Amino acid sequence: MNIAVAQIKPVKGDIPANIEKHIQFIEIASSLKATSIFFPELSLTGYEPELSKALATDPEDDRLNTFQQISNRKEITIGVGIPTKAENRIRISMIVFRPNQERLTYSKQQLHEDEFPYFEKGHEQILIEIEDQKIIPAICYESLQIAHAEKASNMGGEIYVASVAKSQNGIEKAVVHYPEVAQKYAMPVLMSNCIGQCDNFISAGYSAVWTKEGKLAGQLNHKNQGIIVFNTQTEEITTRIIEENSLYTFDNH
């Protein structure tokens, strides 16, 4: 299976602009033969807790239908990040579009203390099955908690996908923790981070993939948007840098 993670620079609070950006990345991932692509935490709004209440929406929002249409047409699974409305408050969610199936919603179950004023936690872990492989999504803070990965493994998870918005400090913790998770539970770990200003910090990029042995298979840098495609059978990767405001791309193997 070819699974991709995207590294993007979201447009702060602009869902329509970010939808267009996502479409471009999905098209490129598909051209690289990816059968799934996952985006960073709150990728459709940017990580902006103070804007989350105004931007929160329903998982069935008609504006998101384009992702289902692309998923159906290109036979690609797509995971995007957006704040969603819950009964009482707002959740940090990943909405997953699968070819010719109903969309799934996963909401972050473990929040950082800074998020408590803005969000409530989700209550259910999901599995995403693609080509007979089970993917466990994790969203930022919880992906650094070993209990989350342990639960993922106990559920039969085979691939761990961390959708994050991490500063340099967060990345320094991640590059120690994720290979340990990969090795301990014998499952590849893929991290999709964003770049640019997020809330009150700069997101540091360095999206990466670790093999089930904990070996770094590929990593993007801290300043460019891009995609990593990982083949779960051969452990080969393809990386592509994507220039801002341009369809011009170039390979970086």
Side-chain angles (χ1 to χ4, degrees):
M1 178 176 67
N2 287 327
I3 180 172
V5 287
Q7 178 166 293
I8 70 169
K9 184 178 182 180
V11 182
K12 180 178 179 177
D14 192 335
I15 294 175
N18 287 318
I19 287 175
E20 291 304 313
K21 183 186 289 277
H22 280 56
I23 290 171
Q24 177 183 347
F25 276 69
I26 295 163
E27 292 285 342
I28 294 169
S30 180
S31 75
L32 296 173
K33 303 188 186 308
T35 53
S36 60
I37 180 170
F38 294 88
F39 287 86
E41 181 179 25
L42 296 178
S43 59
L44 286 173
T45 61
Y47 183 83
E48 301 291 342
E50 293 187 359
L51 301 180
S52 60
K53 186 174 181 180
L55 295 171
T57 188
D58 185 274
E60 300 299 325
D61 188 327
D62 287 346
R63 292 174 296 178
L64 307 181
N65 289 347
T66 185
F67 294 122
Q68 187 63 61
Q69 293 162 4
I70 295 171
S71 176
N72 295 345
R73 186 173 71 252
K74 293 188 171 292
E75 297 187 344
I76 186 170
T77 297
I78 304 163
V80 305
I82 196 165
T84 57
K85 296 175 182 178
E87 290 184 7
N88 301 313
R89 297 179 63 190
I90 308 302
R91 293 178 180 171
I92 297 174
S93 297
M94 175 192 290
I95 302 179
V96 181
F97 301 85
R98 303 171 295 166
N100 301 302
Q101 298 179 70
E102 64 181 5
R103 64 192 68 172
L104 300 173
T105 301
Y106 173 66
S107 297
K108 188 175 186 176
Q109 299 175 89
Q110 299 182 49
L111 301 176
H112 187 273
E113 61 182 11
D114 292 345
E115 296 171 331
F116 293 160
Y118 307 101
F119 302 107
E120 71 171 22
K121 66 181 182 178
H123 301 291
E124 183 180 1
Q125 184 65 53
I126 68 168
L127 283 171
I128 306 165
E129 295 196 37
I130 306 174
E131 299 179 32
D132 296 323
Q133 292 189 283
K134 298 178 177 65
I135 297 171
I136 290 280
I139 301 178
C140 209
Y141 175 73
E142 66 187 6
S143 70
L144 292 181
Q145 313 310 307
I146 195 65
H148 189 275
E150 183 173 359
K151 181 178 179 180
S153 178
N154 290 340
M155 290 178 66
E158 299 168 290
I159 301 168
Y160 197 68
V161 175
S163 171
V164 309
K166 288 193 180 298
S167 65
Q168 183 62 38
N169 180 57
I171 288 297
E172 289 171 3
K173 294 176 182 177
V175 298
V176 174
H177 179 74
Y178 292 149
E180 291 176 352
V181 166
Q183 189 173 35
K184 182 174 183 178
Y185 299 107
M187 59 183 177
V189 176
L190 295 87
M191 177 185 70
S192 170
N193 195 18
C194 48
I195 58 171
Q197 186 71 40
C198 290
D199 189 32
N200 60 357
F201 65 92
I202 302 296
S203 194
Y206 293 115
S207 298
V209 177
W210 291 267
T211 69
K212 63 181 180 292
E213 294 84 19
K215 178 184 176 182
L216 181 65
Q219 187 172 50
L220 297 175
N221 62 31
H222 67 285
K223 60 183 180 180
N224 294 113
Q225 300 182 108
I227 290 173
I228 307 177
V229 182
F230 176 66
N231 184 288
T232 58
Q233 280 74 44
T234 66
E235 298 187 339
E236 294 179 353
I237 67 150
T238 300
T239 62
R240 178 162 289 190
I241 300 298
I242 300 172
E243 298 294 335
E244 183 70 53
N245 300 321
S246 173
L247 292 176
Y248 174 74
T249 63
F250 59 93
D251 286 323
N252 177 29
H253 293 284

